Amino acid sequence: MQETDILVVGAGAAGASLGYLLKQAGKDVLLLEMLDAKKKNKLCAGIIEHRAEQAFMDIFGKTLDEAGLATMPMEKMLVRHDAYEMSHTMPKNNQSAQGKTQDLARADEKTQGFAANLRNYLKKGGKIAAKMAVKKAAGYEPGVVSYKALPRKRFDDYVLNSYLEAGGRLLDHTTVRSIDKERQVARCVNLVTKKTFEIKYNTLVGADGATSIVRRLLTGKRQSTTLALEAPVPLTLRETVIYLRPVDHGYFWYIPRGKDATVGCVYHKLGCRDSEIRKHFAACCADMGIKMENKIRGALIPDGSDVLLQPAEHCFLIGEAAGLSDNFTGGGIHYALLSAKALADALQGKKTYDEAMKPQLDAVHKNCSNANIYFAAGGKVVEFLGKKKTN
Ligand SMILES: Cc1cc2nc3c(=O)[nH]c(=O)nc-3n(C[C@H](O)[C@H](O)[C@H](O)COP(=O)(O)OP(=O)(O)OC[C@H]3O[C@@H](n4cnc5c(N)ncnc54)[C@H](O)[C@@H]3O)c2cc1C
């Protein structure tokens, strides 16, 4: 039987960041990954919001660019809905460790100004539905206006290498088959050799994403998720394009991220009705003149309705395994990093994990219960503020 103080299952953004922080604090950590951690390529649009970059800086002490991650700032966004489209120029936010506070303050000011303008405009529009939507959506504080994009593998490689360089142990192609909570033992299997073995832990952490096996073994339930589709495409446009579909609570995206771009979509109301999603995906690609040369892949995202931080004594969940995801945008990198930092602090006797995660839980709950309002308001905003599409 192997032994470790802290056993972390899943070497993604959350698990590897937690491992890095714990190694920096001199803890004994063992990370399990069901794939080949260095080769895996997570399906992701690769957008890093400024709160994610801030969390990255809090963990690694560097901005993304200082870490050599070469991001592409999102400069312009075109939002389409039915026959209308609305263009929005994003505020410049080139963060550096020193300029951080000032930049964030400027970004928040800009967001609030933008939200206030939209509200005023819609009030003048006089339509009852729009007024209601905006009134309800007034509680939505985007709080994030700086977006950068990069190929996700580059980001994940940095986080994993930081953990390994800090002396972290990693078992590839390994997963958990059962958990004995009383004995604090995880029964594991190497998926290549099929060899089974036990690992004794003091603390067990599920960082194994939206389909978390740790969560399932400890609670007997799968978490509530929705399907996202995505494929890389050539970089044809430097502008981000979003097709809003308020009726399905979802959207299609085209996101430039340096050498290439990605297209993808997530529709919450359709759940996993694959054929409907694929039909709309194809229609949006055709509308943009995009020919699909690469395979479209699918992955699940938590829908934010099912957050769970501590499923059992000595056991914790972080990132998507905890159900931390923004129901409105589908974004979750910032939650992965924030939950990793909060748990690392808690395991070193600082604030409890629950306490530190309170603001994140409130945000997830708010976005989840208001998602239909945000999507409806989004559609109205594009209709009122936008202009008729030219193509
Ligand atoms: C199509 C798509 C686009 C997205 N775009 C964005 C975006 O642009 N910006 C953003 O912020 N978020 C985005 N997200 C969400 C974001 O990718 C996740 O929120 C984030 O990766 C969560 O990090 P995590 O470490 O919790 O999980 P993951 O990154 O999924 O890592 C989990 C790790 O656990 C491993 N694992 C899984 N099961 C097991 C098991 N049984 N045993 C051992 N290991 C296991 C996996 O192989 C993986 O390495 C997107 C998601 C999808 C699906």
Side-chain angles (χ1 to χ4, degrees):
M1 187 188 300
Q2 298 198 29
E3 279 190 33
T4 182
D5 182 13
I6 301 155
L7 177 62
V8 184
V9 183
S17 297
L18 174 69
Y20 169 76
L21 286 165
L22 293 172
K23 285 308 297 176
Q24 293 292 94
K27 300 272 183 191
D28 173 35
V29 190
L30 177 59
L31 192 55
L32 307 186
E33 169 57 49
M34 71 172 185
L35 304 173
D36 180 329
K38 286 192 176 154
K39 288 192 183 149
K40 74 185 170 65
N41 194 359
K42 163 91 188 160
L43 199 63
C44 182
I47 294 181
I48 308 285
E49 305 169 10
H50 82 214
R51 52 186 171 168
E53 177 152 25
Q54 197 175 348
F56 181 89
M57 284 159 71
D58 290 342
I59 295 173
F60 299 101
K62 291 173 187 171
T63 63
L64 294 167
D65 289 335
E66 286 163 357
L69 291 177
T71 55
M72 179 163 176
M74 197 184 281
E75 288 156 357
K76 276 190 127 193
M77 187 188 285
L78 184 73
V79 188
R80 292 182 161 167
H81 168 55
D82 284 345
Y84 295 89
E85 63 184 17
M86 184 181 92
S87 192
H88 177 56
T89 305
M90 313 298 283
K92 286 221 163 30
N93 186 2
N94 298 319
Q95 289 185 350
S96 68
Q98 296 88 343
K100 181 178 135 185
T101 320
Q102 203 190 352
D103 280 340
L104 292 180
R106 259 211 311 271
D108 282 341
E109 205 177 283
K110 187 94 185 184
T111 312
Q112 280 158 20
F114 180 59
N117 279 344
L118 293 183
R119 280 199 286 275
N120 285 338
Y121 189 92
L122 285 171
K123 269 183 201 160
K124 280 187 207 151
K127 291 197 180 175
I128 293 170
K131 274 190 178 170
M132 287 302 292
V134 171
K135 201 172 151 206
K136 287 187 180 166
Y140 174 53
E141 292 137 26
V144 177
V145 286
S146 153
Y147 297 95
K148 297 174 177 179
L150 81 172
R152 175 65 187 265
K153 181 150 179 39
R154 200 182 291 163
F155 181 86
D156 280 355
D157 284 353
Y158 181 87
V159 177
L160 180 70
N161 286 336
S162 301
Y163 168 71
L164 295 175
E165 280 163 19
R169 289 186 290 152
L170 168 71
L171 294 182
D172 271 328
H173 302 295
T174 305
T175 188
V176 180
R177 283 281 185 253
S178 62
I179 297 164
D180 184 333
K181 285 186 271 186
E182 303 303 314
R183 289 170 58 228
Q184 293 175 234
V185 167
R187 187 160 185 79
C188 302
V189 60
N190 181 305
L191 297 164
V192 177
T193 62
K194 309 290 179 214
K195 264 197 178 154
T196 57
F197 55 98
E198 291 186 333
I199 302 177
K200 174 131 186 65
Y201 60 82
N202 290 324
T203 302
L204 172 66
V205 182
D208 46 346
T211 54
S212 173
I213 184 80
V214 173
R215 183 180 177 129
R216 222 180 319 149
L217 290 172
L218 291 171
T219 64
K221 282 188 288 190
R222 284 171 194 275
Q223 67 167 308
S224 181
T225 53
T226 193
L227 178 70
L229 297 179
E230 199 187 53
V233 292
L235 184 75
T236 48
L237 195 69
R238 288 186 65 88
E239 196 171 21
T240 292
V241 185
I242 305 288
Y243 288 72
L244 265 184
R245 288 250 303 189
V247 64
D248 309 315
H249 299 177
Y251 62 98
F252 165 93
W253 68 78
Y254 163 91
I255 293 163
R257 57 179 187 187
K259 283 189 185 143
D260 70 353
T262 72
V263 289
C265 68
V266 55
Y267 299 112
H268 290 283
K269 248 192 179 170
L270 290 175
C272 289
R273 265 173 42 207
D274 201 41
S275 59
E276 279 289 322
I277 298 179
R278 282 178 193 274
K279 214 162 77 188
H280 190 239
F281 190 93
C284 292
C285 287
D287 192 47
M288 283 195 68
I290 292 170
K291 274 198 197 128
M292 290 306 303
E293 282 158 11
N294 291 304
K295 202 170 153 208
I296 299 170
R297 291 162 63 208
L300 296 171
I301 301 187
D303 66 14
S305 67
D306 215 4
V307 180
L308 180 65
L309 298 180
Q310 185 164 11
E313 213 186 339
H314 311 296
C315 301
F316 300 91
L317 299 172
I318 58 174
E320 286 198 344
L324 294 164
S325 171
D326 186 325
N327 181 291
F328 189 43
T329 64
I333 294 174
H334 61 288
Y335 287 130
L337 300 181
L338 286 167
S339 56
K341 177 81 170 69
L343 184 56
D345 286 348
L347 293 175
Q348 291 168 73
K350 299 180 192 165
K351 253 188 193 174
T352 67
Y353 184 42
D354 260 357
E355 223 183 310
M357 287 302 289
K358 172 93 177 54
Q360 318 310 328
L361 292 198
D362 290 347
V364 172
H365 287 147
K366 192 161 130 190
N367 278 347
C368 185
S369 52
N370 289 346
N372 52 347
I373 299 165
Y374 302 157
F375 282 115
K380 292 290 172 200
V381 166
V382 180
E383 240 171 74
F384 285 127
L385 281 188
K387 53 182 185 0
K388 281 249 177 191
K389 261 167 68 180
T390 44
N391 62 348

